[in-house]
Amino acid sequence: MATKVLNYIPKESFIHGLSGTTKLIIFLTFSVLCGLSFDTRVLLFLLLLSFIGFSLSNIRLSEIRLMSTFLIIFLVMNFILLFLFNPEYGPELYGSRTVLFHLFGRYDVTMEQMFYQFNVSLKYVIGFPIAILFISTTNPSEFASSLSQIGVPYRISYSVSLALRYIPDIQQDYHEIAQSQEARGVALGKDVKFFERLKNSAKILLPLVLTSLNRIDDISNSMQLRSFGKHKKRTWFTKKKMTAADYSVIAFCIILFVVGMIITNQGGNNLYNPFVR
Amino acid sequence: MKPIISFKDFSFQYNAQKQPTLKHIDLDIYPGEKILICGASGSGKSTLGNCINGLIPFSYEGKMEGELTVDGITTKDSSIFELSTRVGTVLQDPDGQFVGLTVAEDIAFALENDCVEQDAMKRQIMEAAGKVGIEDHMSKAPYDLSGGQKQRVSMAGVIVDDVKILLFDEPLANLDPYTGKTAIELIDLIKKQTDTTVLIIEHRIEDVLWEKVDRIILMDDGRIVSDTKPEELLRSDLLSRYGIREPLYLTQLKYAGVDVNKVEGIDNIKDLVLKENDKKKIRNWYEAQSKPERINDNDYILEVEHVDFAYDNSEQILFDVSFKVRQGEMLAIVGKNGAGKSTMCKVICGFEKNRTGRILFKGEDITQSSIRARASHIGYVMQNPNQMISQAMIFDEVAMGIRNLGLSEEELQERVYNTLKICGLYEFRNWPISALSFGQKKRVTIASILVMGPEVVMLDEPTAGQDLRHYTEIMEFLKELNEKGITIILITHDMHLMLEYTDRSIVFTDGRIVADKSGSAVLCDRELIQKAALKETSLFYIAEMVGIIDPVDFVDCFIDCDRKERDRGN
């Protein structure tokens, strides 16, 4: 069976038990805070929380290995490119320049630049487990209901959840199509050169799109025939009732956000600057 | 009584079509009736159904003339939502219509859209689930259910809304024979429980008639050509004239010279009453048949030995599977959905790797060969042509499999043209594939495999969803290929295909081979039929009724006689 890249992994855990709306609020709080803040202390605290959340979810690392590998590659690339394109951004930002050693040409490795890049990477490292956590512990239907709860029109939120739902099916289709193409000389194996493989993967696209379009046609007929879109609102079978745990987590998120923003903006900007003497 | 559905001089033309699909339809359907709508592909039967449930004109646009009222409302002034509370539609492919992640959620879908509160919703779905007998599986994912259970879920999702009319669009198309039979029984049960009007659109009429229907509407080229009681339609010659397969037992009675006008209970094999002199006619016919003898003692071309298979970390799918295929055979692989038939074929092609056992081609072990290496000997045609077609033009699609063999452009062209000629596609060689019908696309996919010169071709459900004419077209083509020496292996749910075209059947149940014998022998074996979710042929009933000791031989004689009749017709 095709490896599942990203999907809901049903389990029993504290995180799974929270309502979708709560998880969406956690996700948004973390994303916004993480996006706005450059304060290392805040970021480190968020990192700690996101790892705690992850361990509470009972999701095993092996279940998300593919995504984790991807993240590490991305981080390394990002780190190198940031440095190559603008090695002096850190000193500029922090207003001081402490050279660690000279590399070549105009490239000096400075403490400030490293610290800046460390902060950027931190943001990704925080965001990643939270995103994984949200997707793999939220039942797609509940996800739709929570989106509509916070004001997204239900037609849009339902399409998003359907799209998520069909990822495994489309992966299965891809797998089958790839096999039949391989039988006809379209090489996709590991021994084929990367660009050759990329070019050949494109050949699978047409059949994949055609089968997916058929799928969409069927499902949209079936939905219409069962009154989807009849009213401005709809009810949700999977909506979880909010519990005390939900309310406490939401309250915690609000406090976290407010305190995080206060700390971040303490010095007049969103930086934590250890280089100021 | 006032009709619940009434067409008055009704015509419909899709925007993309030059001709109307429905022409001057006049039809009244009364509350509580159970009606079968049949017709060949393109006869307009599905369009008729879509007019009733509102997909036409609200989802598929076009020009409508005349009038159609459903439960007192004129459809064109209504909306798909208003109609959907009156007409419940069960679409063809149960897999394609699930929206919920669990059975319960899927059944609740219509109620959610109607803003029913959670508590009331839970009550209503339990009630609907109880009616179809799926209440013990509420928290399962629809995809983990068997074909029959899936169908139950889609029915529950429709009756939960208290509709007055139930419309089934080709309910048998994707089901194994046994599940098809239970689906027909379930439709009947629901009709009795809910007192609804039931419309079944289907071209497999023998299967639908397993439970009584009040009327059959026969369509052809957008018109109603017959609207009458089942027994009257069966006694006429309209079915064969309009490309619908008549029930096998009926054909048999006709061959034996029985006057079908005088036979009682002709519309259902369970109710059929044969008089003593009719029985005698059948016995006489049977004795006059020459016993067909077909022996194939060619060498084995394909041998599968003790194959086990499982996907990584999941349950085992194939258990110690062994069988042998002789060169030039036409072989059927049958069994219920999920029994391992397709997986077996994928293992043979090398798409999936068996854990144990080996596969021999012409005595040579190919277990370690690559997909590509096996493909030049053994071809595999998938069920859905859209999954295989990756080029825009027919020539390119067929040429793809031999492009990187290092042939010169002339050699390549010659090989592709030859294949296109064999497949009857030569005159279309410069056409875009999108201009072809489903049956022609199927041929293109077969051509794209044949071009690589395989000696064995495996086909997954080559005739699924095809009417009699297209079925015959595809099967006669495969028979021709077979006569040219290509060994053909077919995965199928169609018991008639198995009887009519194949020499031997391999029956799978839960990943194991449970029988390996002729199609007629399979279909006269009650225990096996039950175990493998097949369905006995009505010929078997006739043989029992008449008191023939060797029903297998009786079925063989019939098939032989039928082949001769058909060859004479051609």
Side-chain angles (χ1 to χ4, degrees):
Chain A
M1 211 67 55
T3 356
K4 289 179 177 138
V5 179
L6 201 58
N7 58 330
Y8 172 55
I9 307 170
K11 277 190 179 166
E12 294 280 324
S13 80
F14 174 71
I15 306 283
H16 282 81
L18 290 174
S19 104
T21 315
T22 312
K23 277 178 269 193
L24 190 62
I25 290 173
I26 301 178
F27 179 69
L28 291 175
T29 310
F30 270 70
S31 312
V32 172
L33 202 52
C34 189
L36 291 178
S37 177
F38 248 103
D39 192 306
T40 317
R41 294 163 302 180
V42 175
L43 292 179
L44 282 174
F45 186 60
L46 289 179
L47 182 69
L48 179 71
L49 286 178
S50 94
F51 279 129
I52 292 174
F54 194 81
S55 63
L56 278 178
S57 74
N58 288 345
I59 302 280
R60 288 195 308 266
L61 264 175
S62 62
E63 288 167 312
I64 53 160
R65 189 184 302 138
L66 196 67
M67 285 306 288
S68 316
T69 322
F70 178 76
L71 176 80
I72 290 166
I73 296 171
F74 175 80
L75 278 181
V76 173
M77 298 268 285
N78 190 57
F79 200 90
I80 296 171
L81 288 176
L82 265 180
F83 184 73
L84 286 182
F85 283 121
N86 200 345
E88 295 301 318
Y89 188 72
E92 198 180 305
L93 196 65
Y94 293 105
S96 66
R97 195 167 187 278
T98 323
V99 180
L100 288 174
F101 55 89
H102 174 74
L103 211 55
F104 57 86
R106 68 184 178 99
Y107 291 102
D108 283 330
V109 175
T110 62
M111 194 95 114
E112 286 79 2
Q113 180 69 12
M114 288 302 109
F115 188 64
Y116 160 69
Q117 293 196 190
F118 168 72
N119 279 320
V120 172
S121 305
L122 209 51
K123 284 169 186 262
Y124 291 117
V125 179
I126 298 163
F128 174 73
I130 288 293
I132 294 271
L133 201 60
F134 181 58
I135 292 168
S136 54
T137 65
T138 312
N139 168 330
S141 318
E142 213 200 323
F143 171 60
S145 89
S146 53
L147 277 181
S148 96
Q149 197 94 39
I150 60 161
V152 178
Y154 77 83
R155 280 170 219 250
I156 295 175
S157 56
Y158 213 91
S159 336
V160 173
S161 95
L162 267 185
L164 284 178
R165 167 111 33 105
Y166 278 107
I167 290 175
D169 282 20
I170 291 171
Q171 282 173 350
Q172 177 67 22
D173 278 347
Y174 178 88
H175 183 62
E176 284 182 6
I177 293 167
Q179 290 172 333
S180 96
Q181 296 285 321
E182 197 169 343
R184 293 163 63 199
V186 176
L188 293 156
K190 291 207 167 81
D191 47 341
V192 184
K193 283 198 203 90
F194 180 73
F195 283 103
E196 184 71 18
R197 235 160 98 188
L198 202 67
K199 207 178 79 195
N200 286 339
S201 304
K203 288 194 182 143
I204 293 170
L205 230 54
L206 179 73
L208 191 65
V209 167
L210 278 179
T211 36
S212 305
L213 282 180
N214 280 345
R215 229 184 248 290
I216 291 168
D217 201 38
D218 280 353
I219 196 83
S220 72
N221 278 345
S222 158
M223 288 169 72
Q224 280 194 49
L225 287 173
R226 292 199 271 161
S227 308
F228 185 77
K230 186 176 181 180
H231 301 294
K232 284 223 166 65
K233 281 196 160 153
R234 78 197 289 276
T235 46
W236 301 84
F237 179 75
T238 50
K239 201 176 111 185
K240 281 207 190 94
K241 292 225 167 67
M242 301 284 266
T243 60
D246 285 302
Y247 290 118
S248 355
V249 171
I250 293 174
F252 178 75
C253 280
I254 295 171
I255 296 168
L256 179 72
F257 185 75
V258 171
V259 173
M261 286 315 283
I262 292 173
I263 296 175
T264 301
N265 289 312
Q266 242 173 0
N269 60 19
N270 64 356
L271 290 177
Y272 166 68
N273 194 341
F275 304 104
V276 178
R277 258 157 270 168
Chain B
M1 197 160 35
K2 262 183 69 183
I4 190 162
I5 298 170
S6 174
F7 287 87
K8 289 215 163 53
D9 193 25
F10 182 90
S11 301
F12 178 77
Q13 181 175 351
Y14 288 101
N15 278 344
Q17 302 272 328
K18 289 201 181 72
Q19 293 285 321
T21 302
L22 292 179
K23 299 164 189 167
H24 307 288
I25 302 281
D26 279 298
L27 174 67
D28 284 331
I29 292 165
Y30 295 92
E33 274 195 296
K34 182 177 171 198
I35 292 193
L36 166 61
I37 302 171
C38 64
S41 308
S43 62
K45 60 182 190 305
S46 289
T47 305
L48 191 80
N50 287 344
C51 288
I52 297 170
N53 63 31
L55 279 179
I56 291 175
F58 302 108
S59 183
Y60 302 116
E61 290 173 8
K63 204 170 70 192
M64 229 150 102
E65 273 166 28
E67 207 183 69
L68 166 60
T69 53
V70 174
D71 194 26
I73 52 175
T74 309
T75 58
K76 63 182 167 210
D77 307 328
S78 175
S79 69
I80 195 163
F81 306 125
E82 198 181 3
L83 286 167
S84 74
T85 56
R86 293 170 163 78
V87 186
T89 312
V90 178
L91 296 168
Q92 206 183 97
D93 176 13
D95 277 327
Q97 48 191 310
F98 290 128
V99 281
L101 274 182
T102 60
V103 169
E105 195 195 342
D106 195 75
I107 298 175
F109 187 71
L111 300 176
E112 292 179 318
N113 293 325
D114 232 351
C115 297
V116 176
E117 287 307 322
Q118 247 183 22
D119 295 336
M121 189 147 51
K122 285 189 173 141
R123 222 173 28 245
Q124 273 170 279
I125 63 168
M126 279 317 289
E127 195 188 327
K131 279 183 187 157
V132 299
I134 196 79
E135 67 272 33
D136 297 333
H137 302 281
M138 298 304 268
S139 56
K140 278 198 182 157
Y143 301 95
D144 293 335
L145 301 176
S146 72
Q149 291 169 331
K150 283 178 188 170
Q151 189 123 29
R152 281 165 202 263
V153 177
S154 22
M155 287 189 203
V158 162
I159 60 171
V160 74
D161 221 2
D162 278 330
V163 290
K164 293 186 178 164
I165 300 162
L166 284 172
L167 177 69
F168 295 90
D169 192 355
E170 307 219 10
L172 303 176
N174 294 294
L175 299 180
D176 58 59
Y178 171 77
T179 310
K181 186 170 123 181
T182 46
I184 291 298
E185 290 167 351
L186 184 64
I187 291 174
D188 206 60
L189 185 71
I190 291 178
K191 184 184 157 15
K192 283 174 187 149
Q193 282 180 341
T194 56
D195 199 27
T196 43
T197 307
V198 170
L199 307 176
I200 304 171
I201 300 173
E202 187 51 77
H203 59 93
R204 293 162 60 173
I205 70 166
E206 179 172 350
D207 297 324
V208 178
L209 289 181
W210 178 252
E211 294 289 346
K212 280 222 172 294
V213 305
D214 298 310
R215 267 196 288 163
I216 302 183
I217 301 193
L218 175 62
M219 295 191 66
D220 184 65
D221 191 28
R223 293 171 206 278
I224 293 175
V225 289
S226 158
D227 173 357
T228 176
K229 288 201 156 63
E231 53 272 22
E232 268 173 56
L233 182 66
L234 293 180
R235 283 177 180 141
S236 71
D237 64 342
L238 289 170
L239 288 176
S240 45
R241 196 194 305 168
Y242 291 110
I244 307 286
R245 167 171 292 143
E246 62 182 14
L248 273 187
Y249 61 89
L250 190 65
T251 316
Q252 204 289 322
L253 294 181
K254 285 180 181 173
Y255 285 162
V258 174
D259 182 357
V260 293
N261 289 312
K262 300 212 176 100
V263 177
E264 272 176 63
I266 195 82
D267 59 331
N268 187 325
I269 187 74
K270 288 187 288 191
D271 302 337
L272 187 72
V273 184
L274 289 174
K275 294 209 184 73
E276 202 41 56
N277 67 329
D278 290 336
K279 290 183 182 172
K280 206 171 157 203
K281 276 181 183 167
I282 295 170
R283 272 193 297 267
N284 289 344
W285 170 85
Y286 173 55
E287 266 140 39
Q289 299 299 309
S290 54
K291 307 277 181 284
E293 209 54 65
R294 290 179 69 188
I295 295 171
N296 180 336
D297 54 3
N298 293 339
D299 289 338
Y300 291 119
I301 193 161
L302 187 69
E303 290 161 86
V304 173
E305 291 178 353
H306 307 292
V307 165
D308 277 0
F309 176 77
Y311 287 106
D312 305 333
N313 313 322
S314 40
E315 280 173 52
Q316 193 165 343
I317 296 180
L318 296 176
F319 300 85
D320 192 24
V321 172
S322 301
F323 63 93
K324 293 175 175 183
V325 185
R326 288 186 192 275
Q327 198 268 327
E329 257 192 299
M330 194 133 159
L331 180 85
I333 297 185
V334 298
K336 60 182 140 187
N337 291 333
K341 307 182 303 278
S342 301
T343 310
M344 185 65 244
C345 289
K346 287 179 182 169
V347 168
I348 293 174
C349 299
F351 291 178
E352 308 293 352
K353 298 272 175 259
N354 42 313
R355 289 197 313 205
T356 59
R358 48 183 208 153
I359 295 158
L360 306 179
F361 177 77
K362 288 190 168 171
E364 204 176 305
D365 191 345
I366 56 165
T367 318
Q368 300 306 323
S369 310
S370 68
I371 294 182
R372 180 66 171 151
R374 295 186 202 195
S376 54
H377 306 298
I378 304 166
Y380 179 57
V381 180
M382 299 166 93
Q383 182 180 348
N384 179 357
N386 289 335
Q387 283 196 320
M388 294 184 70
I389 292 170
S390 63
Q391 304 289 317
M393 307 302 291
I394 292 177
F395 183 92
D396 296 331
E397 179 67 25
V398 177
M400 198 175 111
I402 52 171
R403 275 245 186 256
N404 32 21
L405 293 185
L407 302 174
S408 73
E409 200 53 35
E410 290 87 61
E411 281 173 309
L412 181 90
Q413 187 170 339
E414 197 192 316
R415 245 171 102 169
V416 172
Y417 281 0
N418 277 338
T419 310
L420 288 174
K421 278 176 195 156
I422 293 172
C423 300
L425 290 165
Y426 184 66
E427 65 249 55
F428 304 114
R429 62 194 175 279
N430 297 320
W431 280 35
I433 291 174
S434 55
L436 299 181
S437 71
F438 183 89
Q440 288 166 327
K441 278 188 190 167
K442 188 96 211 169
R443 275 178 186 239
V444 171
T445 59
I446 298 173
S448 68
I449 295 299
L450 282 180
V451 77
M452 295 187 284
E455 289 163 76
V456 179
V457 176
M458 300 188 285
L459 299 103
D460 197 346
E461 294 280 1
T463 61
Q466 301 295 297
D467 68 6
L468 184 59
R469 190 169 68 85
H470 292 104
Y471 160 90
T472 311
E473 218 178 272
I474 294 171
M475 289 315 299
E476 286 298 313
F477 168 60
L478 292 175
K479 201 174 125 201
E480 272 172 47
L481 287 180
N482 183 241
E483 279 158 7
K484 289 192 171 99
I486 294 176
T487 307
I488 291 186
I489 300 176
L490 300 152
I491 298 178
T492 186
H493 281 325
D494 187 336
M495 296 297 99
H496 193 255
L497 183 158
M498 167 173 112
L499 279 178
E500 199 173 8
Y501 286 98
T502 64
D503 314 314
R504 185 160 64 101
S505 300
I506 291 178
V507 185
F508 273 81
T509 300
D510 303 328
R512 290 184 173 87
I513 292 183
V514 290
D516 181 348
K517 53 189 178 186
S518 80
S520 45
V522 168
L523 291 192
C524 292
D525 182 341
R526 280 237 161 88
E527 205 183 317
L528 177 62
I529 284 170
Q530 206 177 11
K531 198 151 86 179
L534 304 172
K535 185 176 157 231
E536 53 269 82
T537 162
S538 54
L539 297 172
F540 180 45
Y541 284 87
I542 299 259
E544 276 196 327
M545 227 181 273
V546 178
I548 286 165
I549 308 151
D550 186 354
V552 179
D553 191 46
F554 178 76
V555 174
D556 282 334
C557 285
F558 170 81
I559 294 299
D560 195 53
C561 175
D562 200 43
R563 274 180 191 157
K564 282 181 199 148
E565 283 291 323
R566 202 182 43 227
D567 290 344
R568 201 174 304 154
N570 286 344

